[in-house]
Amino acid sequence: MKKLSLLALLVVATFAFIGCQTTAAPTTAAPTTAAPTTVAPTTVAPTTAVKEFKVDGDFTAFVAEVHTNGAQQVTMVTVTITNGVITGYKIDARQAVKVTDTKGTEDTADDTYTFTWNAQTKVELGFNYRMHYNTYRNSLTDPATANQAGYEAWLTANNRNEWHTQAALVEAYWLANGVAAMEYDATTKVISNVAGVTVKNSGYTALALEAIENARAGKFQAIKATGTDLYIASMIKAENGTISELKLDVRQLFTARTDKSKFAWNVATKQELGFAYRMHYNTYRNSLTDPATATQAGYETWLTANNRLEWFQQANIITNYIMANGWNASYQAVPATSAGIGMSLDGVTPISATAGVTIKSQSYFDVLSYLFAKVA
């Protein structure tokens, strides 16, 4: 009995001890929330395509040649740019006539020759160019009955095309397919893949490609054929309208050629010749005590001492004035009969800023007007 009481007391003590223990509340760690990482979106700047043709207008390439008839010729190709896109081509050529004066004798040694530009280009002549006229005439029972109306009817009946019609077919082919797509025989130059065309590729492809390059560069060119000269004006214009270059030039007949019966161009233009053009050389030479002592260096010194300007310097005064003051369609030469010098707006009163200009040909201003007309 005593053992049982002791055991009961031990159990009660144990429970009392356990009841006195301090129980700590469990610690709950607050969850850690990482701030979300925001990646800024990558914005790719839109690429702006570089415009191939930045300036609109008509861009011409040309070549001065000698025709098989012995007279001068100039061939040209123009590409038209509209809103930065090629919208047309134009092929043309101006030829000339050679006239021989036999002096009424059989001896050709004293013959003289004149070379005169045709008043119209091949395209301007149209059906009057008469590319196939001899073939038509020879097809008649009586060639003497040949006439223009009959010729044009014969062309249609025989499926022949006049030169200007063939040029238009080539132009349309280029526009639809590209210049390089036209095929021709490397030796004969005969065009093989443009229906209705029998003319040879007389440098037309090369000129078209040059005209396209001129368009890329914003380089305008214009020409005027008169006398035996080829007047040339060129200009480089930027997209913003700024003119960075304006030039006047002339290519002339080579008078020192051996064969006088055939036309020949000077290798260098007046601008290219520079002081070697020698506009006042005879005046300088005649001013010397001994004309035989004349030299190029002496000539250039004489120009300065006598306040004379060489041709290229005078031409540059004209173009520099226009670049500084803008083009005016009223610009014109002071007549040769006038004592005035320089260019004018009324043909009488010289513009003082162009003093020093004694060249008086209106052709300079004509070709400049053709040039500015090409700008869209």
Side-chain angles (χ1 to χ4, degrees), residues 249-329:
D249 210 347
V250 181
R251 190 175 294 277
Q252 296 181 302
L253 168 69
F254 178 47
T255 56
R257 66 196 185 283
T258 303
D259 186 354
K260 301 295 185 182
S261 70
K262 293 181 181 178
F263 190 96
W265 290 104
N266 271 346
V267 175
T269 65
K270 287 186 178 183
Q271 283 279 3
E272 292 166 345
L273 284 168
F275 286 107
Y277 179 62
R278 296 181 169 186
M279 178 178 179
H280 304 286
Y281 197 82
N282 284 341
T283 304
Y284 149 68
R285 188 175 181 278
N286 293 334
S287 72
L288 301 175
T289 304
D290 182 2
T293 62
T295 65
Q296 184 64 29
Y299 170 59
E300 294 179 27
T301 300
W302 177 89
L303 286 173
T304 302
N306 290 272
N307 199 29
R308 299 288 185 95
L309 297 176
E310 187 51 76
W311 184 93
F312 77 96
Q313 294 173 308
Q314 297 190 40
N316 292 348
I317 287 176
I318 293 173
T319 53
N320 288 342
Y321 180 85
I322 294 171
M323 286 182 68
N325 297 277
W327 169 248
N328 188 319

Side-chain angles (χ1 to χ4, degrees), residues 117-354:
W117 288 106
N118 285 343
Q120 295 177 295
T121 67
K122 286 186 178 183
V123 169
E124 290 167 347
L125 283 166
F127 288 105
N128 287 318
Y129 180 63
R130 296 182 169 185
M131 178 179 179
H132 304 287
Y133 198 83
N134 284 341
T135 304
Y136 149 68
R137 187 176 182 278
N138 293 333
S139 72
L140 301 176
T141 304
D142 181 3
T145 63
N147 58 64
Q148 186 64 27
Y151 171 58
E152 293 179 27
W154 177 89
L155 287 173
T156 303
N158 289 273
N159 198 30
R160 300 286 185 95
N161 288 320
E162 187 51 78
W163 191 93
H164 72 285
T165 305
Q166 296 193 40
L169 290 171
V170 172
E171 293 160 6
Y173 183 88
W174 283 349
L175 187 59
N177 304 281
V179 174
M182 188 176 76
E183 299 174 0
Y184 59 96
D185 186 276
T187 303
T188 65
K189 307 300 181 184
V190 173
I191 298 169
S192 58
N193 65 337
V194 183
V197 173
T198 58
V199 296
K200 296 179 179 180
N201 184 9
S202 302
Y204 305 136
T205 296
L207 286 173
L209 294 174
E210 182 181 340
I212 291 171
E213 285 304 312
N214 287 345
R216 289 192 180 104
K219 182 179 182 180
F220 292 91
Q221 293 190 122
I223 56 175
K224 178 183 179 181
T226 181
T228 54
D229 294 340
L230 187 65
Y231 286 76
I232 305 162
S234 63
M235 168 175 61
I236 297 177
K237 191 170 187 179
E239 187 175 8
N240 65 4
T242 302
I243 297 174
S244 61
E245 179 182 287
L246 181 62
K247 183 186 292 185
L248 272 174
D249 210 347
V250 181
R251 190 175 294 277
Q252 296 181 302
L253 168 69
F254 178 47
T255 56
R257 66 196 185 283
T258 303
D259 186 354
K260 301 295 185 182
S261 70
K262 293 181 181 178
F263 190 96
W265 290 104
N266 271 346
V267 175
T269 65
K270 287 186 178 183
Q271 283 279 3
E272 292 166 345
L273 284 168
F275 286 107
Y277 179 62
R278 296 181 169 186
M279 178 178 179
H280 304 286
Y281 197 82
N282 284 341
T283 304
Y284 149 68
R285 188 175 181 278
N286 293 334
S287 72
L288 301 175
T289 304
D290 182 2
T293 62
T295 65
Q296 184 64 29
Y299 170 59
E300 294 179 27
T301 300
W302 177 89
L303 286 173
T304 302
N306 290 272
N307 199 29
R308 299 288 185 95
L309 297 176
E310 187 51 76
W311 184 93
F312 77 96
Q313 294 173 308
Q314 297 190 40
N316 292 348
I317 287 176
I318 293 173
T319 53
N320 288 342
Y321 180 85
I322 294 171
M323 286 182 68
N325 297 277
W327 169 248
N328 188 319
S330 296
Y331 287 147
Q332 55 191 288
V334 177
T337 55
S338 169
I341 58 175
M343 56 190 271
S344 73
L345 284 165
D346 58 8
V348 177
T349 309
I351 297 172
S352 59
T354 61

Side-chain angles (χ1 to χ4, degrees), residues 22-76:
T22 300
T23 303
T27 302
T28 303
T32 302
T33 304
T37 303
T38 303
V39 179
T42 302
T43 303
V44 179
T47 56
T48 302
V50 177
K51 288 175 65 175
E52 183 176 10
F53 305 108
K54 299 179 177 64
V55 181
D56 288 352
D58 296 327
F59 298 88
T60 300
F62 65 91
V63 58
E65 306 167 300
V66 177
H67 191 265
T68 53
N69 68 355
Q72 70 271 32
Q73 171 178 283
V74 59
T75 302
M76 48 272 190

